[in-house]
Each structure stands twice: as structure tokens, then as C-alpha cells.
Amino acid sequence: MKVLVGRGSCGNAAGASVIFAQFEENGCDVRPVGCVGMCYLEPIVDVELDGARRTFVKVDEQAAGEIIKLVKGEPNTADTYLISAEDSDVLKSQDRIALLNCGIINPDDIEEYIASGGYEAVKKAVTQMSPEKVIGEIKTSGLAGRGGAGFPTWFKWNAALASKDAKKYMICNADEGDPGAFMDRAIIEGDPHALIEGMMIGAFAIGSDEGIVYVRAEYPLAIIRLELALHQAREKGLLGGNIFGSGFSFDIRIKAGAGAFVCGEETALIASLEGERGMPRLKPPFPAQKGYWAKPSNINNVETFANVPWIIKHGGSAYSAFGNEHSKGTKVFALTGKIEKGGLVEVPMGISINDIIFNVGGGIKDGKDFKAVQMGGPSGGCIPKHLGKTKVDYPSLSATGAIMGSGGMVVMDEDTCLVDMARFFLDFTRKESCGKCTHCRIGTDRMLRILERICGGEGREGDIEILEELSKHIADGSLCALGQTASNPVLTTIRYFRNEYEDHISHKKCTAGQCKPLIAYTIDEEKCIGCTICAKKCPIGAISGEVKKLHIIDAAMCDKCGVCKKVCKFEAVKVS
């Protein structure tokens, strides 16, 4: 009887490490697995009992004690913590390819990956197929880069194959930096061998003998598990020389990056690998012709590589059966923000935004109204509620002003200020600009200053038009996609929520009640019963009043922290 504990970063943060130790101390056959994607239910424990797997959620020490009794055959109340049918349906509603083994197998044990069919695809590729045939299957599959650009994977591989240099590099971009995105981290933590196998197949296809995984140092658990997986693969003879007796040789090393968002751009990543400051370079030449150390190089992200073994094993046509005519296969999304069931989901391309948020993600927290979703991270755009039926494919999202990006979906409810949200994302890109391009370096700073003025109640007539003009110049004058897309959150919020900008500027009003200089807290005399809770909880003592009498907020003293509104059970505290 096996006990499986979700030990991804999210599980550990929720207390899984303590739970894991508790099972160990009680003599259970306990093993770590990665994140299954249901982060909102962590810590998650699976028990394999009588040939079936039972899932327990939000497991604390008391719940673990009951599960231990179950494992030992003692009377228990473990069923109290079983996953609900509704939450089980979250997994059943997905088509998992990149996340196939995440949360299912022990990422620290290569034997479990092999038992699940691992390394069969690369064996097939190197012993039964030519590089051209491998690339042909990838072309048939319609797999496009999952890192953001959506560029056809086969085309990049074919370009690298056509380069005649004897030395080539296969590089994985694991420098995942979008706010709210954690797909690549979860794949490496939960199924590192899938990444290794995908890179091996890609290396065989382009004629490379050396691979590099560029992963941000802020992912320590991912690095530890990947290092172990590489070691195990070498011990098995799966990495190194003459793999499967085919004459194909390949090995992989890890480069820990310093966490610069701009290094997600492939030429900046290459510069960082070479020991230079991560700054983009002019293209052409493209990396396939002149990349790392001026040698032909191919760069794909983690999710792209994780799809490759499945494609080679099952065929490109089987993969292209998922999705629609515009975008093939499945896509992993990170659902964050004001959504009930936050975490990772993998769904077919072409599904609508509403389907993902409401049918898979469980809808908006606390029953509030859906307002918008930011897709594509700081390089993407804000899609409003009335476009919720938009299909999640490359052309449909582009038409809204957003992009697919790496798959982050930051969901916003009725209480979100879209002007402030635009300010947040622009602040991020301004800080992450490498500074090489004047338009990006200075232009994003100028835009941010304007947005800060608007949110601070000092917006001026004409600010919206200046933001639009600056956006055009920054996009036209920037060398890489960071600057070219930095204005997208601003442009889409102006496009769909212009009224909020106008309210901030002309009426000095934040309709969402979030921009502190533009709001005031008051207490409704008809609803206040004088319970004194707000006064007791106010951290600066700005509320006064006697028991069972109306309480008053001192506007001059109030710092608008919102604590009073949160603790009031009678909805007496108002924001105006």
C-alpha cells in the first residue's frame, strides 16, 4: 500500500513536507509526487489501496493521522477528507499530455517514469526514424512553441538541421518569468524525465550532442529534481554516448540564471549563457544559424519539449486531433487571481475563455462578477467579460489585443481596478527592461509615471492620448518582444475600459474602490449596530464609537487599509 504526497513547491508551501515526515515516522511506504495541478486543494495525499487510488485533500496533521490509521487497517475517519466529486471532475475535464505524469509518478525515481512508458519515444526515434522523419511528425502534429511566440516547432528544428556545422546546441528555455505563470516549474518538479526525453528527441532531429537547460535560480526544487533525473539517466545509459546502440550521443547540463525576465528572449538567453549581460541581439542571424558561441542552436521551452515524447510515441496526427484548425494540441494554463480553483489545467486549444474560467476553474471567488482576464503575462493583454466566448487559439487571442503567451491567466473580478492593473504590469516590464533600447528604457518609465499619476488622483486631460502615442513609439523602436509588447496591458485596458481611465482623470474617482487617493471609507448609520469590531481591528485607531452606537471613521487619520470593511459582518463600512 503506497502513500503519495504532493511535494511540488505549492504542496510544500502548504505544509506537505510536515505531512510527508509524519507518514515516514509512522512506517508508511510514502513517496513524493509533483503537483497534480489542483493547488487550491494542497496538501494532497493519494493512497493506493486495493488496486484503486483514493485522493485526500487539504490534509493537515490531524487528517494525516486518520489516513495513517486507514493504511494500518485501524478504525478511522479518513473519508472526511476525500476529494469531492466536483473537484475530481476538474481533472476529468482535462486532456493531459504535457502534465501526463505530474502528480502521478515519483519524479525522483527513473524506474517509475520508465514503467509509465518513458524513454520509449526516444528509443523509437533514434533506432527506427531519421531526423527528417522525426521533424515530419512534429510538423504533422502542428506543435507550436509554448513559450509565448507560438512559432512552429518543426520549422525551427528543420532550420537547425539544415545548418551544416558539426557542433550544434539544443537549449531549453526554463526561465519562466511571467507573473502568475508556473507551468514549466511544475513540469520539471513533477516529471523531469519528460523534459529530458523531449530534448533528446529534438537533439537527434537537429544533429546536436549537447543540451543546456537554462532555468531560473528561483526554482531550487526544480533544479534539484532535474539534476537527480540527469544523473539517473546517465547511470542507465540513456544520456551519454551511443544511446540505445544507435550511434547517437547526447548529454545535458543545467545553467541557473539570475531571474531576468528579458532572458526569456532567445538571444538574450544565449548572451547570458555565454557569460554576458542578458541583452537581446539583432536578428538575423537567427540562433538556428548562429546561436550559442556562434554555433547553430535551437531553443524551445519546457512545455514544448514535454509534448514531444507523446507525439513521437502516438504520432503527429493523434496530437493534431486535439485543438482546432488554427491551433493544434493542448495547452497548459496557470489559473491565478480571483478564481475559485487556482492551479494548473491542460485543455485542448480552441476551448473558450469562459469554459476555462467557469467549467474548469470553478468560476469567480466569493460569487463575485467576472470582469476581465489578463492573458500572456506582462506582454499580453486584458480581455473583458464580454469577450469571454473568445476561443483560446493564436489568431483569436491576437484579435483581442492579447496573446497566448506561456499560459498565465490572471483572473479579475468586479473589485479590480483595470488602471491599477495596467500600472502593475507596466511597472514589472519597466523594471525588467535590460535598458539596451532607448524607447523601452525611457518610454516604459514615462508611461509608468503617467499611470502612477492617474492612480494617485493627479491625472490630466490628454494623458490617455499620450499613453497611446508612447505605446506606438515603444513598440516601433524596441529591439525585442519585451519592449515591443510592453504596452499591451495599457492599450487593451484603454480599449475595453476607457471609462475607468476617464473616471480617474476627469472625476477623480476609482469605480473599483482600489486606488487609495481616490476613495474614502465611511460607516452607514443605518447598518452600523455598534458592535465595536471595526474599531478594535483598526490598526491605527482611526475609528471611534461606543457600544451599540454609530461608529465614525476619522478621514484624516484613515490610511484606507480596508481592514474595517473586511471585518464588518453587517456591510456597514462603505467605500466611496
Side-chain angles (χ1 to χ4, degrees):
M1 185 183 297
K2 290 190 295 186
V3 178
L4 310 175
V5 179
R7 293 292 307 273
S9 291
C10 52
N12 288 340
S17 54
V18 175
I19 302 303
F20 190 87
Q22 188 175 347
F23 283 109
E24 279 187 318
E25 291 164 2
N26 283 274
C28 298
D29 179 10
V30 59
R31 306 176 189 185
V33 294
C35 175
V36 76
M38 296 186 291
C39 305
Y40 67 101
L41 294 177
E42 296 283 6
I44 298 174
V45 174
D46 287 305
V47 176
E48 293 187 356
L49 180 65
D50 300 327
R53 179 176 286 201
R54 302 174 73 182
T55 301
F56 302 90
V57 299
K58 297 183 179 179
V59 177
D60 56 16
E61 293 180 59
Q62 180 178 341
E66 295 302 316
I67 297 171
I68 289 168
K69 292 178 185 177
L70 170 69
V71 172
K72 293 182 176 180
E74 301 173 0
N76 63 85
T77 59
D79 284 359
T80 307
Y81 306 96
L82 278 171
I83 189 171
S84 69
E86 180 184 351
D87 286 321
S88 290
D89 289 342
V90 172
L91 282 180
K92 293 175 184 177
S93 65
Q94 300 176 43
D95 292 296
R96 294 165 73 90
I97 295 177
L99 299 179
L100 181 64
N101 293 321
C102 292
I104 306 298
I105 67 171
N106 180 356
D108 294 337
D109 187 351
I110 191 173
E111 298 297 343
E112 290 200 20
Y113 182 72
I114 291 172
S116 71
Y119 291 108
E120 291 178 3
V122 69
K123 182 177 182 180
K124 175 183 177 181
V126 303
T127 62
Q128 301 176 33
M129 302 171 73
S130 65
E132 291 81 5
K133 189 171 181 181
V134 170
I135 292 173
E137 286 295 338
I138 299 299
K139 182 178 182 180
T140 299
S141 74
L143 177 66
R146 297 300 194 243
F151 198 76
T153 302
W154 77 270
F155 193 92
K156 294 177 73 170
W157 289 15
N158 199 52
L161 174 64
S163 297
K164 301 305 181 185
D165 201 302
K167 183 66 178 181
K168 300 177 183 178
Y169 294 95
M170 178 58 74
I171 301 171
C172 173
N173 179 358
D175 191 57
E176 185 175 50
D178 288 10
F182 50 98
M183 297 74 62
D184 292 351
R185 172 179 61 76
I187 291 172
I188 298 175
E189 291 179 354
D191 195 13
H193 290 283
L195 168 59
I196 295 170
E197 187 173 9
M199 289 185 70
M200 292 174 70
I201 294 168
F204 172 74
I206 72 169
S208 168
D209 66 351
E210 184 174 349
I212 308 167
V213 179
Y214 186 95
V215 57
R216 53 181 43 223
E218 291 97 327
Y219 285 177
L221 180 59
I223 292 174
I224 290 169
R225 287 189 172 160
L226 184 57
E227 284 178 336
L228 176 60
L230 291 170
H231 174 71
Q232 292 175 342
R234 292 187 193 103
E235 284 191 326
K236 283 279 186 181
L238 297 168
L239 284 175
N242 195 27
I243 298 168
F244 292 115
S246 64
F248 169 60
S249 299
F250 182 68
D251 206 346
I252 299 172
R253 61 184 171 89
I254 298 172
K255 166 65 176 178
F261 180 65
V262 72
C263 287
E265 197 278 334
E266 57 184 8
T267 62
L269 184 153
I270 289 170
S272 181
L273 279 176
E274 294 173 346
E276 302 291 334
R277 184 175 176 185
M279 302 176 85
R281 301 170 179 173
L282 281 170
K283 294 185 286 188
F286 293 95
Q289 287 77 44
K290 191 176 180 181
Y292 183 51
W293 296 128
K295 298 296 183 181
S297 307
N298 183 92
I299 303 177
N300 294 112
N301 87 319
V302 175
E303 186 184 341
T304 306
F305 281 122
N307 280 288
V308 170
W310 194 96
I311 292 170
I312 297 303
K313 189 173 181 178
H314 298 278
S317 296
Y319 188 82
S320 67
F322 295 96
N324 61 19
E325 67 274 20
H326 303 298
S327 304
K328 301 295 184 181
T330 62
K331 181 73 189 79
V332 181
F333 290 99
L335 303 182
T336 59
K338 304 298 182 66
I339 192 163
E340 281 285 354
K341 300 178 180 180
L344 295 177
V345 300
E346 185 172 2
V347 293
M349 291 281 206
I351 189 172
S352 75
I353 292 172
N354 281 344
D355 281 337
I356 295 175
I357 293 175
F358 293 98
N359 296 339
V360 182
I364 309 303
K365 273 187 176 180
D366 303 321
K368 294 195 174 182
D369 193 22
F370 170 44
K371 187 171 185 177
V373 59
Q374 176 76 16
M375 292 198 64
S379 300
C382 187
I383 303 175
K385 174 184 177 179
H386 74 266
L387 294 180
K389 293 182 180 179
T390 299
K391 293 185 181 301
V392 178
D393 59 41
Y394 291 105
S396 299
L397 290 178
S398 294
T400 68
I403 60 172
M404 183 83 66
S406 59
M409 295 184 71
V410 182
V411 180
M412 293 165 260
D413 67 10
E414 61 196 72
D415 294 332
T416 304
C417 172
L418 273 302
V419 183
D420 186 58
M421 186 60 64
R423 181 207 56 77
F424 168 81
F425 281 110
L426 196 70
D427 179 57
F428 178 86
T429 50
R430 193 264 305 194
K431 289 174 179 174
E432 294 293 339
S433 172
C434 73
K436 185 172 185 175
C437 304
T438 304
H439 288 79
C440 181
R441 181 180 70 249
I442 297 177
T444 54
D445 182 70
R446 177 80 189 284
M447 288 184 70
L448 178 62
R449 288 172 184 268
I450 294 172
L451 287 168
E452 287 175 339
R453 276 200 295 99
I454 294 173
C455 292
E458 298 177 359
R460 307 165 189 162
E461 293 299 326
D463 276 349
I464 296 175
E465 290 72 22
I466 294 174
L467 288 171
E468 291 172 324
E469 183 181 358
L470 283 170
S471 296
K472 180 180 184 304
H473 292 312
I474 294 168
D476 291 343
S478 297
L479 179 59
C480 81
L482 186 148
Q484 292 164 3
T485 60
S487 303
N488 282 352
V490 179
L491 290 175
T492 51
T493 51
I494 290 175
R495 178 178 175 181
Y496 299 117
F497 299 95
R498 193 182 188 97
N499 63 303
E500 291 199 19
Y501 282 84
E502 292 170 344
D503 281 344
H504 280 68
I505 295 168
S506 302
H507 307 297
K508 308 303 178 188
K509 176 183 178 184
C510 176
T511 51
Q514 298 300 316
C515 296
K516 289 185 178 181
L518 299 175
I519 60 175
Y521 282 82
T522 57
I523 296 178
D524 188 329
E525 60 181 290
E526 294 184 1
K527 292 186 176 181
C528 177
I529 65 166
C531 68
T532 76
I533 291 177
C534 62
K536 291 176 181 177
K537 295 293 183 179
C538 178
I540 59 172
I543 303 177
S544 60
E546 299 178 14
V547 177
K548 296 185 179 181
K549 291 185 179 181
L550 175 66
H551 280 51
I552 304 295
I553 298 175
D554 185 335
M557 186 184 298
C558 177
D559 68 353
K560 304 168 187 178
C561 66
V563 170
C564 55
K565 183 173 175 60
K566 291 178 182 177
V567 300
C568 181
K569 299 178 181 179
F570 306 98
E571 298 183 350
V573 179
K574 302 297 181 182
V575 181
S576 59

